[in-house]
Amino acid sequence: MKKKLAIIGGSYLQLPAVLKAKELGYEVHCFAWRDGAVCELTLIIFIQFQ
């Protein structure tokens, strides 16, 4: 079973955590507003708020 991690926010401040979690084999779910969400480009699962 793959480990999963939810991260609130998707700006440049969360990017190091997202990249490290992916490196460690986690499936990362990111919840953020689309504006300024640089993490969206590195994730498979990105949930945006409108």
Short mmCIF file of all heavy atoms in Angstrom, two decimals:
data_model
loop_
_atom_site.label_atom_id
_atom_site.label_comp_id
_atom_site.label_asym_id
_atom_site.label_seq_id
_atom_site.Cartn_x
_atom_site.Cartn_y
_atom_site.Cartn_z
N MET A 1 0.85 -1.18 0.00
CA MET A 1 0.00 0.00 0.00
C MET A 1 0.89 1.24 0.00
O MET A 1 1.84 1.35 0.77
CB MET A 1 -0.91 0.00 1.23
CG MET A 1 -1.78 1.23 1.31
SD MET A 1 -2.72 1.35 2.83
CE MET A 1 -4.24 0.63 2.30
N LYS A 2 0.57 2.19 -0.89
CA LYS A 2 1.35 3.42 -1.01
C LYS A 2 0.99 4.39 0.11
O LYS A 2 -0.18 4.56 0.44
CB LYS A 2 1.08 4.06 -2.36
CG LYS A 2 2.05 5.14 -2.71
CD LYS A 2 1.93 5.52 -4.17
CE LYS A 2 3.09 6.42 -4.52
NZ LYS A 2 3.15 6.67 -5.93
N LYS A 3 2.00 5.02 0.69
CA LYS A 3 1.77 6.02 1.73
C LYS A 3 1.20 7.28 1.08
O LYS A 3 1.56 7.63 -0.04
CB LYS A 3 3.08 6.35 2.43
CG LYS A 3 3.73 5.16 3.10
CD LYS A 3 5.07 5.54 3.67
CE LYS A 3 6.10 5.51 2.56
NZ LYS A 3 7.47 5.73 3.01
N LYS A 4 0.32 7.97 1.80
CA LYS A 4 -0.31 9.19 1.29
C LYS A 4 -0.09 10.33 2.26
O LYS A 4 0.00 10.13 3.46
CB LYS A 4 -1.82 8.97 1.09
CG LYS A 4 -2.10 7.89 0.08
CD LYS A 4 -3.58 7.66 -0.09
CE LYS A 4 -3.78 6.53 -1.08
NZ LYS A 4 -5.17 6.26 -1.31
N LEU A 5 -0.02 11.54 1.70
CA LEU A 5 0.20 12.73 2.49
C LEU A 5 -0.65 13.86 1.93
O LEU A 5 -0.66 14.08 0.72
CB LEU A 5 1.68 13.13 2.45
CG LEU A 5 2.08 14.40 3.20
CD1 LEU A 5 1.93 14.19 4.70
CD2 LEU A 5 3.49 14.78 2.86
N ALA A 6 -1.38 14.57 2.79
CA ALA A 6 -2.15 15.74 2.38
C ALA A 6 -1.41 16.99 2.83
O ALA A 6 -0.98 17.08 3.97
CB ALA A 6 -3.55 15.70 3.00
N ILE A 7 -1.27 17.94 1.92
CA ILE A 7 -0.62 19.20 2.22
C ILE A 7 -1.59 20.32 1.92
O ILE A 7 -2.18 20.37 0.84
CB ILE A 7 0.68 19.37 1.40
CG1 ILE A 7 1.69 18.31 1.81
CG2 ILE A 7 1.25 20.77 1.57
CD1 ILE A 7 3.01 18.36 1.09
N ILE A 8 -1.77 21.21 2.90
CA ILE A 8 -2.63 22.36 2.72
C ILE A 8 -1.78 23.51 2.20
O ILE A 8 -0.81 23.92 2.84
CB ILE A 8 -3.30 22.77 4.06
CG1 ILE A 8 -4.02 21.59 4.69
CG2 ILE A 8 -4.25 23.94 3.85
CD1 ILE A 8 -5.11 20.96 3.87
N GLY A 9 -2.14 24.02 1.05
CA GLY A 9 -1.38 25.09 0.41
C GLY A 9 -0.56 24.54 -0.73
O GLY A 9 -0.17 23.37 -0.72
N GLY A 10 -0.30 25.37 -1.73
CA GLY A 10 0.45 24.91 -2.88
C GLY A 10 1.43 25.95 -3.41
O GLY A 10 1.82 25.89 -4.55
N SER A 11 1.83 26.88 -2.55
CA SER A 11 2.74 27.93 -2.99
C SER A 11 4.19 27.44 -2.92
O SER A 11 4.46 26.29 -2.58
CB SER A 11 2.57 29.18 -2.12
OG SER A 11 3.14 28.97 -0.84
N TYR A 12 5.11 28.34 -3.20
CA TYR A 12 6.53 27.99 -3.17
C TYR A 12 6.98 27.56 -1.77
O TYR A 12 7.98 26.86 -1.63
CB TYR A 12 7.37 29.17 -3.67
CG TYR A 12 7.36 30.36 -2.74
CD1 TYR A 12 8.36 30.51 -1.78
CD2 TYR A 12 6.35 31.32 -2.79
CE1 TYR A 12 8.35 31.59 -0.92
CE2 TYR A 12 6.34 32.39 -1.93
CZ TYR A 12 7.33 32.52 -0.99
OH TYR A 12 7.32 33.59 -0.13
N LEU A 13 6.23 27.94 -0.73
CA LEU A 13 6.60 27.54 0.63
C LEU A 13 6.37 26.05 0.87
O LEU A 13 7.07 25.43 1.67
CB LEU A 13 5.82 28.36 1.66
CG LEU A 13 6.12 29.86 1.65
CD1 LEU A 13 5.13 30.60 2.54
CD2 LEU A 13 7.54 30.10 2.12
N GLN A 14 5.38 25.46 0.20
CA GLN A 14 5.10 24.03 0.36
C GLN A 14 5.88 23.18 -0.63
O GLN A 14 5.95 21.96 -0.47
CB GLN A 14 3.59 23.76 0.18
CG GLN A 14 2.73 24.22 1.32
CD GLN A 14 2.45 25.72 1.27
OE1 GLN A 14 2.49 26.35 0.24
NE2 GLN A 14 2.16 26.29 2.43
N LEU A 15 6.45 23.78 -1.65
CA LEU A 15 7.14 23.02 -2.70
C LEU A 15 8.24 22.10 -2.18
O LEU A 15 8.30 20.93 -2.59
CB LEU A 15 7.68 23.97 -3.78
CG LEU A 15 8.26 23.31 -5.01
CD1 LEU A 15 7.23 22.40 -5.69
CD2 LEU A 15 8.76 24.37 -5.98
N PRO A 16 9.11 22.52 -1.27
CA PRO A 16 10.14 21.59 -0.76
C PRO A 16 9.53 20.35 -0.08
O PRO A 16 10.03 19.25 -0.25
CB PRO A 16 10.94 22.43 0.24
CG PRO A 16 10.73 23.83 -0.19
CD PRO A 16 9.33 23.88 -0.74
N ALA A 17 8.44 20.55 0.66
CA ALA A 17 7.80 19.41 1.33
C ALA A 17 7.18 18.46 0.31
O ALA A 17 7.27 17.24 0.45
CB ALA A 17 6.73 19.91 2.31
N VAL A 18 6.57 19.02 -0.72
CA VAL A 18 5.97 18.19 -1.78
C VAL A 18 7.04 17.38 -2.49
O VAL A 18 6.89 16.16 -2.68
CB VAL A 18 5.20 19.07 -2.79
CG1 VAL A 18 4.82 18.29 -4.03
CG2 VAL A 18 3.96 19.68 -2.15
N LEU A 19 8.13 18.02 -2.86
CA LEU A 19 9.20 17.31 -3.57
C LEU A 19 9.84 16.23 -2.71
O LEU A 19 10.13 15.13 -3.19
CB LEU A 19 10.25 18.32 -4.05
CG LEU A 19 9.76 19.32 -5.10
CD1 LEU A 19 10.86 20.33 -5.42
CD2 LEU A 19 9.29 18.62 -6.36
N LYS A 20 10.06 16.52 -1.43
CA LYS A 20 10.67 15.53 -0.53
C LYS A 20 9.73 14.34 -0.32
O LYS A 20 10.17 13.19 -0.32
CB LYS A 20 11.02 16.18 0.81
CG LYS A 20 11.79 15.28 1.73
CD LYS A 20 13.13 14.91 1.14
CE LYS A 20 13.95 14.07 2.09
NZ LYS A 20 15.26 13.73 1.55
N ALA A 21 8.45 14.63 -0.14
CA ALA A 21 7.48 13.55 0.05
C ALA A 21 7.42 12.64 -1.18
O ALA A 21 7.38 11.42 -1.06
CB ALA A 21 6.09 14.12 0.35
N LYS A 22 7.45 13.24 -2.37
CA LYS A 22 7.46 12.44 -3.60
C LYS A 22 8.73 11.60 -3.68
O LYS A 22 8.69 10.44 -4.08
CB LYS A 22 7.32 13.34 -4.82
CG LYS A 22 5.91 13.88 -5.00
CD LYS A 22 5.80 14.77 -6.22
CE LYS A 22 6.05 13.97 -7.47
NZ LYS A 22 5.85 14.74 -8.70
N GLU A 23 9.85 12.18 -3.29
CA GLU A 23 11.13 11.47 -3.29
C GLU A 23 11.08 10.25 -2.37
O GLU A 23 11.68 9.22 -2.65
CB GLU A 23 12.23 12.42 -2.86
CG GLU A 23 13.61 11.82 -2.77
CD GLU A 23 14.61 12.83 -2.23
OE1 GLU A 23 14.58 13.99 -2.65
OE2 GLU A 23 15.42 12.42 -1.36
N LEU A 24 10.37 10.40 -1.25
CA LEU A 24 10.25 9.31 -0.27
C LEU A 24 9.16 8.30 -0.63
O LEU A 24 8.93 7.35 0.10
CB LEU A 24 9.96 9.90 1.12
CG LEU A 24 11.11 10.73 1.71
CD1 LEU A 24 10.65 11.42 3.00
CD2 LEU A 24 12.33 9.86 1.97
N GLY A 25 8.48 8.53 -1.75
CA GLY A 25 7.50 7.55 -2.23
C GLY A 25 6.07 7.81 -1.80
O GLY A 25 5.22 6.94 -1.97
N TYR A 26 5.78 8.98 -1.27
CA TYR A 26 4.42 9.31 -0.86
C TYR A 26 3.57 9.71 -2.06
O TYR A 26 4.08 10.31 -3.02
CB TYR A 26 4.40 10.48 0.13
CG TYR A 26 4.80 10.11 1.54
CD1 TYR A 26 6.14 10.00 1.90
CD2 TYR A 26 3.84 9.87 2.51
CE1 TYR A 26 6.51 9.66 3.18
CE2 TYR A 26 4.20 9.54 3.80
CZ TYR A 26 5.53 9.43 4.12
OH TYR A 26 5.90 9.11 5.40
N GLU A 27 2.29 9.41 -1.99
CA GLU A 27 1.31 9.97 -2.92
C GLU A 27 0.83 11.26 -2.28
O GLU A 27 0.22 11.23 -1.22
CB GLU A 27 0.14 9.00 -3.11
CG GLU A 27 -0.93 9.52 -4.03
CD GLU A 27 -2.06 8.52 -4.15
OE1 GLU A 27 -1.82 7.37 -4.57
OE2 GLU A 27 -3.19 8.89 -3.78
N VAL A 28 1.12 12.39 -2.90
CA VAL A 28 0.86 13.69 -2.28
C VAL A 28 -0.43 14.29 -2.83
O VAL A 28 -0.61 14.39 -4.04
CB VAL A 28 2.04 14.66 -2.53
CG1 VAL A 28 1.78 15.98 -1.85
CG2 VAL A 28 3.34 14.05 -2.04
N HIS A 29 -1.30 14.69 -1.92
CA HIS A 29 -2.54 15.39 -2.26
C HIS A 29 -2.40 16.82 -1.76
O HIS A 29 -2.14 17.04 -0.59
CB HIS A 29 -3.75 14.74 -1.57
CG HIS A 29 -3.96 13.32 -1.97
ND1 HIS A 29 -5.00 12.94 -2.76
CD2 HIS A 29 -3.25 12.20 -1.71
CE1 HIS A 29 -4.94 11.64 -2.96
NE2 HIS A 29 -3.87 11.17 -2.33
N CYS A 30 -2.56 17.78 -2.66
CA CYS A 30 -2.37 19.18 -2.31
C CYS A 30 -3.69 19.93 -2.46
O CYS A 30 -4.35 19.83 -3.48
CB CYS A 30 -1.30 19.77 -3.23
SG CYS A 30 -0.71 21.37 -2.70
N PHE A 31 -4.07 20.67 -1.44
CA PHE A 31 -5.30 21.45 -1.43
C PHE A 31 -4.93 22.92 -1.40
O PHE A 31 -4.29 23.37 -0.44
CB PHE A 31 -6.14 21.11 -0.19
CG PHE A 31 -6.56 19.67 -0.13
CD1 PHE A 31 -5.71 18.71 0.40
CD2 PHE A 31 -7.79 19.28 -0.61
CE1 PHE A 31 -6.09 17.38 0.45
CE2 PHE A 31 -8.18 17.96 -0.56
CZ PHE A 31 -7.33 17.00 -0.03
N ALA A 32 -5.31 23.68 -2.44
CA ALA A 32 -4.88 25.08 -2.51
C ALA A 32 -5.73 25.85 -3.51
O ALA A 32 -6.44 25.28 -4.33
CB ALA A 32 -3.43 25.15 -2.94
N TRP A 33 -5.62 27.17 -3.43
CA TRP A 33 -6.16 28.05 -4.46
C TRP A 33 -5.23 27.93 -5.65
O TRP A 33 -4.02 27.75 -5.50
CB TRP A 33 -6.19 29.49 -3.98
CG TRP A 33 -7.05 29.72 -2.79
CD1 TRP A 33 -6.63 29.94 -1.51
CD2 TRP A 33 -8.48 29.74 -2.73
NE1 TRP A 33 -7.70 30.10 -0.68
CE2 TRP A 33 -8.86 29.98 -1.41
CE3 TRP A 33 -9.48 29.58 -3.68
CZ2 TRP A 33 -10.17 30.06 -0.99
CZ3 TRP A 33 -10.80 29.65 -3.28
CH2 TRP A 33 -11.14 29.90 -1.96
N ARG A 34 -5.76 28.06 -6.84
CA ARG A 34 -4.94 27.93 -8.04
C ARG A 34 -3.95 29.08 -8.19
O ARG A 34 -2.81 28.89 -8.61
CB ARG A 34 -5.80 27.84 -9.29
CG ARG A 34 -4.96 27.76 -10.56
CD ARG A 34 -5.71 27.21 -11.69
NE ARG A 34 -5.97 25.81 -11.38
CZ ARG A 34 -6.18 24.89 -12.29
NH1 ARG A 34 -6.17 25.21 -13.54
NH2 ARG A 34 -6.42 23.66 -11.96
N ASP A 35 -4.35 30.30 -7.84
CA ASP A 35 -3.46 31.46 -7.97
C ASP A 35 -2.21 31.26 -7.11
O ASP A 35 -2.30 31.10 -5.90
CB ASP A 35 -4.17 32.74 -7.55
CG ASP A 35 -5.28 33.13 -8.49
OD1 ASP A 35 -5.31 32.61 -9.63
OD2 ASP A 35 -6.14 33.94 -8.10
N GLY A 36 -1.07 31.27 -7.74
CA GLY A 36 0.19 31.13 -7.02
C GLY A 36 0.54 29.71 -6.62
O GLY A 36 1.48 29.49 -5.86
N ALA A 37 -0.18 28.73 -7.13
CA ALA A 37 0.05 27.33 -6.74
C ALA A 37 1.11 26.71 -7.64
O ALA A 37 0.81 26.07 -8.64
CB ALA A 37 -1.24 26.55 -6.82
N VAL A 38 2.36 26.88 -7.29
CA VAL A 38 3.46 26.32 -8.08
C VAL A 38 3.55 24.80 -7.92
O VAL A 38 4.11 24.13 -8.78
CB VAL A 38 4.80 26.98 -7.73
CG1 VAL A 38 4.78 28.45 -8.06
CG2 VAL A 38 5.15 26.76 -6.27
N CYS A 39 3.00 24.26 -6.85
CA CYS A 39 3.05 22.81 -6.62
C CYS A 39 2.18 22.04 -7.60
O CYS A 39 2.38 20.85 -7.81
CB CYS A 39 2.60 22.48 -5.20
SG CYS A 39 3.74 23.09 -3.94
N GLU A 40 1.24 22.71 -8.22
CA GLU A 40 0.33 22.04 -9.16
C GLU A 40 1.10 21.36 -10.29
O GLU A 40 0.71 20.31 -10.76
CB GLU A 40 -0.65 23.05 -9.74
CG GLU A 40 -1.62 22.45 -10.72
CD GLU A 40 -2.58 23.47 -11.30
OE1 GLU A 40 -2.38 24.68 -11.12
OE2 GLU A 40 -3.54 23.04 -11.94
N LEU A 41 2.20 21.94 -10.69
CA LEU A 41 2.98 21.40 -11.80
C LEU A 41 3.72 20.12 -11.44
O LEU A 41 4.12 19.37 -12.33
CB LEU A 41 3.98 22.45 -12.29
CG LEU A 41 3.37 23.78 -12.73
CD1 LEU A 41 4.47 24.77 -13.06
CD2 LEU A 41 2.42 23.59 -13.89
N THR A 42 3.90 19.83 -10.16
CA THR A 42 4.67 18.65 -9.74
C THR A 42 3.79 17.53 -9.22
O THR A 42 4.29 16.46 -8.92
CB THR A 42 5.67 19.03 -8.63
OG1 THR A 42 4.95 19.46 -7.48
CG2 THR A 42 6.61 20.10 -9.08
N LEU A 43 2.48 17.76 -9.13
CA LEU A 43 1.59 16.79 -8.52
C LEU A 43 0.68 16.10 -9.52
O LEU A 43 0.32 16.67 -10.55
CB LEU A 43 0.68 17.48 -7.49
CG LEU A 43 1.40 18.03 -6.26
CD1 LEU A 43 0.44 18.89 -5.45
CD2 LEU A 43 1.94 16.92 -5.41
N ILE A 44 0.27 14.89 -9.17
CA ILE A 44 -0.76 14.19 -9.93
C ILE A 44 -2.12 14.57 -9.36
O ILE A 44 -3.07 14.75 -10.09
CB ILE A 44 -0.54 12.66 -9.84
CG1 ILE A 44 0.77 12.31 -10.53
CG2 ILE A 44 -1.70 11.92 -10.45
CD1 ILE A 44 1.21 10.89 -10.35
N ILE A 45 -2.20 14.73 -8.06
CA ILE A 45 -3.47 15.04 -7.40
C ILE A 45 -3.41 16.44 -6.82
O ILE A 45 -2.68 16.70 -5.88
CB ILE A 45 -3.79 14.01 -6.30
CG1 ILE A 45 -3.85 12.63 -6.90
CG2 ILE A 45 -5.10 14.36 -5.60
CD1 ILE A 45 -3.83 11.50 -5.93
N PHE A 46 -4.18 17.35 -7.42
CA PHE A 46 -4.22 18.73 -6.98
C PHE A 46 -5.67 19.14 -6.90
O PHE A 46 -6.39 19.07 -7.89
CB PHE A 46 -3.46 19.64 -7.95
CG PHE A 46 -3.48 21.09 -7.56
CD1 PHE A 46 -2.59 21.58 -6.62
CD2 PHE A 46 -4.41 21.96 -8.11
CE1 PHE A 46 -2.59 22.90 -6.27
CE2 PHE A 46 -4.43 23.30 -7.75
CZ PHE A 46 -3.51 23.76 -6.82
N ILE A 47 -6.14 19.52 -5.73
CA ILE A 47 -7.52 19.92 -5.55
C ILE A 47 -7.54 21.43 -5.38
O ILE A 47 -6.91 21.97 -4.47
CB ILE A 47 -8.17 19.23 -4.31
CG1 ILE A 47 -8.30 17.73 -4.55
CG2 ILE A 47 -9.55 19.79 -4.05
CD1 ILE A 47 -7.18 16.92 -4.19
N GLN A 48 -8.23 22.11 -6.27
CA GLN A 48 -8.26 23.58 -6.20
C GLN A 48 -9.56 24.06 -5.60
O GLN A 48 -10.60 23.44 -5.73
CB GLN A 48 -8.08 24.18 -7.58
CG GLN A 48 -9.31 24.06 -8.47
CD GLN A 48 -9.13 24.77 -9.76
OE1 GLN A 48 -8.02 24.93 -10.24
NE2 GLN A 48 -10.21 25.20 -10.37
N PHE A 49 -9.47 25.17 -4.91
CA PHE A 49 -10.64 25.85 -4.36
C PHE A 49 -10.99 26.99 -5.30
O PHE A 49 -10.13 27.60 -5.90
CB PHE A 49 -10.34 26.40 -2.96
CG PHE A 49 -10.04 25.34 -1.97
CD1 PHE A 49 -8.75 25.12 -1.55
CD2 PHE A 49 -11.06 24.57 -1.46
CE1 PHE A 49 -8.47 24.14 -0.62
CE2 PHE A 49 -10.79 23.58 -0.53
CZ PHE A 49 -9.50 23.35 -0.11
N GLN A 50 -12.27 27.26 -5.40
CA GLN A 50 -12.69 28.37 -6.27
C GLN A 50 -13.26 29.48 -5.47
O GLN A 50 -13.64 29.42 -4.42
CB GLN A 50 -13.72 27.87 -7.26
CG GLN A 50 -13.08 26.90 -8.22
CD GLN A 50 -13.99 26.58 -9.38
OE1 GLN A 50 -14.94 27.30 -9.66
NE2 GLN A 50 -13.70 25.51 -10.05
#
